[in-house]
Amino acid sequence: MIIHLDMQSEVPIYTQLEHQIVEGIAGGKLQPGELLPSVRQLASDVGINLHTVNKVYTRLKQEGYILVHRQRGVVVNPEGMPSATSEFLEKQAAELRPIIAEAILRGMSRQELTEIMEQIYTEIALPTKEES
Amino acid sequence: MSTLSIVVLTLIFIPLISSLAFMPYLTRETVSFGISISEEIYRSEPVRRMRKNYALISLLLYGLLYLLCAFALLRSGHQDRLEESIWLPLFIFLLIALSSGLFLYFHFKMKQLKRALPGTAEAKSILAVDTKYRQNKLAVSNHWFWLHVALIAGSVLYMLANYDRLPGQIALKYDFQGNIVESAAKSYATVLSLNAAQIMMLLLFLFINWSIQHSKQQTYAGDPERSIRQSSIFRHRWSVFSLLSSFMTIGLFSFLQLNMIQPVHTSVMISVTLAIPLFVVLFAIILSFLTGQGGSRIKRPAKGSNVQPVDDDHLWKLGMFYYNPSDPSVFVEKRSGIGWTINHAHPAAWTVVGVILIIVIVSILISK
């Protein structure tokens, strides 16, 4: 998968990296069991500090999206992704709240907001995921 | 003999001059004189003109320098050796000084040009990174180097087996006519000294092959798939080159050892000793012109992308020296040239350079 990073964005690189990998797995561009570059290799290719990449991989590992083996390297979790646990739903709600609040503040209707969510969902998700 | 010096001068001159003068045509299409630009800008008229001017001025300047040195060599040839041996290194030094000066002049002109172009200031700086990059065959397997090990081992065994057949004095240095200039008493150290050099070379080339595989990925966001394809072919070709040229050079040393026990005709020895390095250099030049840096000359697309590559001009000092303390990469592809260079901010890079320098200096001192 080809990761695109905006080096001059206000959004920090580690956040962009994390989002790109999550989106990659969600959209099927990164398959379960697929190899990801090692911390050192990815840091070298992007040109950022090892600790930054480590931070990203650690977070993704904690969520259960990737596995980090000393010898075998980094892989996308071959046993599939964790489901939407109550813990996750709480965190998601907290992350969505400011986005929705700002939308209301700017006078967006419920309809408009839903349409945007649908559009992005379609853009990202695998066709098979929608059917199930 | 001054004629031979001129032949050597010419043989050095032609590949050097052509690669220096035409270098801007060999770089990636996202770089012009050490400044990052979109492919579209690279192919635009003003930049094309700069490249042409650079080539013409280079050829003129270096041509004059060549004539000067050839003339000086012809004159001094009939006088003393010392003057003769000064001119070749002087020529190379002046060549380096001239080419650096010329490059820097064009580098600053290009910088001005970029600033004057519309849209480049606000253009997004997008970096593309392929997670599967190293799953391509970037370098040949290191196991190929077992052939080199076998050749070295064979040479060592051959020398040891024939130790008694060797004369009491081992020839160490020859001049261009094949006369022995320096020799030493026979001992295991002198007899196997060439093998020690072979082992050093093997380690160096193994290291080169490793770094071709692992050096920093530099993918163009404007057309990532094509960029990766070109880059993979580029790295693979240079890996094959390293494998073959190291084998030939190690072979040359074995040939020289064979010559100690079963001497061949002087002219054969001189020819082989000159032919092999010449062939390696020619091979490199041809490969550079066919492949281009990063594979830029492989299957060029009809139209250049207008996407601005990631703006890291501030990391490339004078357009030539990569200095990035946040980057853990030790080796990166050159921006203005063919091949790889070091990340000057990385301590490991300085260690590598230091070790190589020490080996060279020590070898020179020992041979005195």
Side-chain angles (χ1 to χ4, degrees):
Chain A
M1 164 181 157
I2 299 183
I3 295 176
H4 293 267
L5 299 169
D6 186 346
M7 303 307 276
Q8 286 163 349
S9 166
E10 279 168 10
V11 181
I13 302 290
Y14 70 84
T15 311
Q16 289 185 52
L17 249 183
E18 209 183 294
H19 290 172
Q20 289 266 303
I21 295 176
V22 167
E23 211 178 294
I25 301 174
K29 289 205 195 120
L30 288 171
Q31 292 289 311
E34 185 173 321
L35 257 177
L36 284 172
S38 66
V39 175
R40 193 169 273 279
Q41 206 66 86
L42 187 58
S44 162
D45 287 349
V46 177
I48 53 174
N49 209 293
L50 283 165
H51 299 299
T52 313
V53 177
N54 225 349
K55 198 156 73 162
V56 175
Y57 275 6
T58 308
R59 245 226 78 200
L60 293 171
K61 186 176 74 174
Q62 275 169 356
E63 298 291 337
Y65 304 155
I66 64 172
L67 298 175
V68 180
H69 284 290
R70 271 280 161 85
Q71 288 95 1
R72 272 174 284 163
V74 185
V75 291
V76 177
N77 197 333
E79 295 177 19
M81 298 298 124
S83 60
T85 59
S86 54
E87 223 177 58
F88 168 74
L89 288 170
E90 261 179 51
K91 192 183 71 135
Q92 187 194 56
E95 283 173 1
L96 279 174
R97 222 178 158 84
I99 294 175
I100 297 172
E102 203 169 346
I104 298 171
L105 185 148
R106 292 222 178 205
M108 281 180 78
S109 70
R110 217 181 283 256
Q111 172 96 359
E112 283 172 307
L113 191 57
T114 316
E115 267 167 27
I116 288 178
M117 297 226 320
E118 304 244 308
Q119 193 189 341
I120 295 175
Y121 194 101
T122 315
E123 265 173 42
I124 296 175
L126 265 177
T128 48
K129 266 207 178 134
E130 279 221 33
E131 282 151 34
S132 63
Chain B
M1 195 163 62
S2 64
T3 336
L4 196 61
S5 302
I6 296 189
V7 170
V8 172
L9 177 75
T10 316
L11 288 176
I12 295 173
F13 164 83
I14 293 171
L16 261 182
I17 267 50
S18 49
S19 46
L20 282 172
F22 299 115
M23 191 51 69
Y25 293 94
L26 303 178
T27 62
R28 287 173 177 249
E29 288 191 291
T30 51
V31 172
S32 176
F33 298 103
I35 301 285
S36 70
I37 45 166
S38 71
E39 288 181 337
E40 197 178 62
I41 295 172
Y42 180 89
R43 295 185 185 198
S44 68
E45 187 46 43
V47 182
R48 270 189 212 269
R49 228 179 304 129
M50 274 186 89
R51 281 198 288 280
K52 202 161 96 166
N53 290 339
Y54 181 83
L56 287 173
I57 297 174
S58 298
L59 289 172
L60 189 73
L61 278 176
Y62 305 152
L64 282 171
L65 187 63
Y66 168 74
L67 288 173
L68 190 75
C69 286
F71 179 69
L73 276 174
L74 267 172
R75 254 183 25 113
S76 73
H78 303 295
Q79 282 144 37
D80 67 285
R81 267 274 191 73
L82 184 66
E83 219 196 299
E84 190 183 67
S85 65
I86 286 178
W87 278 105
L88 270 175
L90 186 64
F91 166 72
I92 293 178
F93 173 75
L94 285 173
L95 193 64
I96 294 172
L98 269 178
S99 62
S100 307
L102 194 63
F103 174 83
L104 283 173
Y105 174 74
F106 275 80
H107 170 71
F108 288 113
K109 285 222 95 156
M110 187 68 220
K111 214 179 203 175
Q112 280 179 326
L113 190 78
K114 180 178 176 180
R115 236 179 278 141
L117 284 168
T120 49
E122 315 93 47
K124 276 187 157 203
S125 202
I126 304 284
L127 177 72
V129 173
D130 182 11
T131 57
K132 289 217 239 254
Y133 184 65
R134 271 168 202 80
Q135 285 168 38
N136 298 309
K137 247 195 143 239
L138 299 176
V140 295
S141 163
N142 283 328
H143 289 293
W144 280 100
F145 286 92
W146 285 115
L147 287 169
H148 301 52
V149 175
L151 181 56
I152 297 173
S155 304
V156 171
L157 289 173
Y158 179 74
M159 292 308 276
L160 290 176
N162 288 291
Y163 190 78
D164 297 322
R165 285 175 60 184
L166 285 163
Q169 284 284 104
I170 307 284
L172 287 180
K173 241 193 229 175
Y174 293 87
D175 67 9
F176 279 121
Q177 282 121 300
N179 302 317
I180 297 171
V181 165
E182 208 179 291
S183 59
K186 178 168 99 170
S187 74
Y188 283 106
T190 49
V191 165
L192 297 178
S193 60
L194 281 173
N195 300 110
Q198 284 177 324
I199 293 174
M200 301 266 237
M201 262 196 286
L202 174 65
L203 291 173
L204 180 68
F205 277 95
L206 261 172
F207 176 67
I208 289 173
N209 203 40
W210 177 89
S211 57
I212 290 177
Q213 176 71 25
H214 288 99
S215 66
K216 185 191 177 83
Q217 179 185 161
Q218 281 155 281
T219 300
Y220 180 40
D223 192 343
E225 280 88 13
R226 188 244 305 166
S227 171
I228 290 163
R229 219 180 314 128
Q230 288 177 323
S231 171
S232 306
I233 297 173
F234 165 78
R235 290 194 184 199
H236 191 256
R237 284 188 187 178
W238 282 105
S239 173
V240 171
F241 170 82
S242 304
L243 187 74
L244 290 175
S245 58
S246 59
F247 191 79
M248 285 195 290
T249 317
I250 288 175
L252 173 63
F253 281 30
S254 293
F255 170 75
L256 290 173
Q257 283 190 316
L258 179 69
N259 186 53
M260 284 186 209
I261 293 176
Q262 293 182 0
V264 296
H265 198 275
T266 318
S267 58
V268 174
M269 191 190 72
I270 298 179
S271 327
V272 173
T273 314
L274 284 178
I276 288 182
L278 189 68
F279 180 72
V280 169
V281 171
L282 275 176
F283 189 177
I285 301 287
I286 294 172
L287 191 59
S288 301
F289 275 88
L290 287 177
T291 313
Q293 178 67 341
S296 65
R297 294 183 75 82
I298 302 171
K299 295 205 193 100
R300 270 193 173 164
K303 202 166 172 286
S305 165
N306 67 350
V307 172
Q308 186 78 4
V310 62
D311 194 345
D312 50 0
D313 285 351
H314 58 288
L315 297 170
W316 285 92
K317 312 297 176 194
L318 297 176
M320 294 188 282
F321 306 109
Y322 185 65
Y323 185 90
N324 187 356
S326 336
D327 189 344
S329 314
V330 183
F331 294 102
V332 303
E333 285 180 22
K334 275 192 197 167
R335 176 170 264 211
S336 31
I338 303 286
W340 284 262
T341 183
I342 57 170
N343 178 359
H344 292 75
H346 201 295
W350 282 115
T351 313
V352 168
V353 172
V355 165
I356 295 176
L357 268 174
I358 288 172
I359 293 175
V360 170
I361 292 172
V362 165
S363 338
I364 293 174
L365 289 175
I366 286 182
S367 70
K368 284 251 176 281

